[in-house]
Amino acid sequence: GRPAQGQGSAITAELPDVNRPSAVAAAALLTSICLLPAMLMPYLVGTIALAVTPDPRRLGFVAAAVLGGPIALMAVSVLWVRKYPWRRMVFCGLSIAAAGYLLAAEMRDFLSMVACVAIGSSGLAIAYAPPICSLSDTSNPDRNFGYSFFLQIIASGLTGLIATALEDRFGPRSLFVLNAGIFVFSLVLLPILPQAGVKHQVRDAVQGHSRAKHIWMGLAGMLFLNAGPTAVWAFFERIGHGAGFSEHSVGNMIALAMLIGAPGSLLSASAARRYGRLRPLAVSTILMIVTFAVSITSPDLATYFFAGVLFQFLLNFGLSFQYGALSVADVSGRLIVLAPTFQGIGGIAGPGIAGM
């Protein structure tokens, strides 16, 4: 239903730092930077293919290097994310990430390069936990997570364009150096990020048990809500190819659909204030199913493009609601870091099942 205002206001009143516009902007930017390798997966796979091996069987391990370590670390970060100063955690995580990606640029064999990418990506998981908790602690998490998702798409799109330009001039390994440079530069955001959050572990056993049940149900729902859409989006290019559209046209349509659909994440906050979370999320999910059918039966490229734009818009729109609802249910402020883990598991399982 509607966002719970009373408790959220009481919690955030303890320490207003998380609600400062500059603190929200810093947290949103940091989440975007920490997710860059995941968003740039096609570029990383292409870089490693050009630099060391084009073997598709070996390239399949790149996704595990980029996502495997971070998913595991995010799962256990519930143990420390509220115990240590956030700025120190982000500094250590980004430093590890920068070192890992710089070392990857120097490696000459596949295993060493992928190992360095895995180390660097794992560092990003350490740096990611504090900013996502900071956004969760704000009085309007729907809106602020919307900003974060919007920035993720814009940041990955711009980085992809820069990476393409650098590759033409300096070679494929320049992507690793570019990522490392971004991680180092993002350290300037540390003084703006709050040193700690405002939520604390609930000591009331009854309330804690009730809330814990809600958060685990929400995490399970996030897994399923992401498994289905990613199963379709992973094969969206194949759908266009099967419809007879050219590879060039399909590639351009997908890129444009992602950029044009990005503002969907910015509208979730106003919809939540007016309609609550349940109805907009249900409507967006139903409409997403409609886009599946439209994309599969697209008679022309324009219809295919429209389906892609609507799909991305609805996907970004719904994600903000999911994170906002989990933020309200997670009174302890620790379990919100599991959201990307469940989202990632759904994102991996969906295409895997669809491809069987």
Side-chain angles (χ1 to χ4, degrees):
R2 295 181 180 274
Q5 299 293 335
Q7 188 170 9
S9 299
I11 291 173
T12 52
E14 297 176 22
L15 185 63
D17 280 356
V18 294
N19 287 312
R20 283 186 291 111
S22 58
V24 172
L29 281 169
L30 283 169
T31 59
S32 304
I33 290 166
C34 289
L35 290 177
L36 269 182
M39 300 291 287
L40 297 174
M41 183 77 72
Y43 293 90
L44 285 171
V45 171
T47 291
I48 294 175
L50 291 173
V52 288
T53 177
D55 185 351
R57 292 172 298 180
R58 304 185 77 184
L59 291 175
F61 290 102
V62 176
V66 174
L67 299 175
I71 286 177
L73 273 174
M74 286 178 190
V76 299
S77 63
V78 296
L79 302 175
W80 67 66
V81 68
R82 298 283 175 173
K83 290 184 178 180
Y84 302 106
W86 282 355
R87 293 173 190 166
R88 188 182 304 169
M89 290 177 61
V90 175
F91 176 82
C92 291
L94 289 175
S95 299
I96 293 171
Y101 276 80
L102 280 177
L103 286 172
E106 298 298 322
M107 295 298 111
R108 300 300 168 185
D109 64 281
F110 177 79
L111 288 178
S112 299
M113 182 177 286
V114 169
C116 290
V117 169
I119 292 171
S121 298
S122 296
L124 293 175
I126 298 172
Y128 184 72
I132 194 177
C133 284
S134 183
L135 293 174
S136 173
D137 284 11
T138 60
S139 57
N140 195 339
D142 299 80
R143 178 194 65 195
N144 297 327
F145 275 117
Y147 293 156
S148 174
F149 298 137
F150 178 77
L151 287 174
Q152 286 172 23
I153 298 170
I154 300 303
S156 60
L158 292 176
T159 304
L161 292 174
I162 295 172
T164 302
L166 290 176
E167 181 182 335
D168 293 338
R169 186 170 182 180
F170 300 105
R173 295 173 186 269
S174 59
L175 176 61
F176 295 129
V177 179
L178 173 62
N179 276 317
I182 292 172
F183 302 149
V184 172
F185 182 75
S186 63
L187 292 173
V188 302
L189 298 171
L190 289 187
I192 309 173
L193 184 74
Q195 186 69 281
V198 299
K199 291 183 180 179
H200 305 284
Q201 188 171 0
V202 179
R203 291 184 170 85
D204 187 292
V206 176
Q207 184 185 15
H209 175 74
S210 174
R211 289 280 182 167
K213 182 171 65 176
H214 292 162
I215 186 71
W216 287 110
M217 290 174 63
L219 288 168
M222 171 171 277
L223 189 155
F224 290 110
L225 281 172
N226 283 279
T230 54
V232 174
W233 187 249
F235 293 96
F236 206 76
E237 186 272 341
R238 292 289 87 193
I239 293 173
H241 179 77
F245 308 138
S246 71
E247 298 286 348
H248 182 75
S249 296
V250 169
N252 287 336
M253 292 302 100
I254 290 176
L256 287 172
M258 291 178 67
L259 290 173
I260 298 174
S265 59
L266 301 179
L267 299 181
S268 57
S270 58
R273 286 194 299 269
R274 187 167 183 177
Y275 303 109
R277 291 191 182 96
L278 181 60
R279 280 185 291 175
L281 184 57
V283 170
S284 66
T285 302
I286 293 170
L287 288 176
M288 203 179 298
I289 295 172
V290 174
T291 66
F292 297 166
V294 172
S295 64
I296 293 171
T297 60
S298 299
D300 51 56
L301 191 60
T303 305
Y304 174 80
F305 173 62
F306 174 77
V309 170
L310 185 58
F311 177 91
Q312 281 294 323
F313 182 92
L314 294 169
L315 180 65
N316 295 321
F317 181 76
L319 271 176
S320 301
F321 285 110
Q322 294 174 42
Y323 274 84
L326 289 173
S327 298
V328 171
D330 181 26
V331 180
S332 72
R334 295 180 300 116
L335 297 178
I336 187 65
V337 297
L338 293 176
T341 299
F342 278 76
Q343 184 183 350
I345 293 172
I348 293 170
I353 294 171
M356 291 181 178

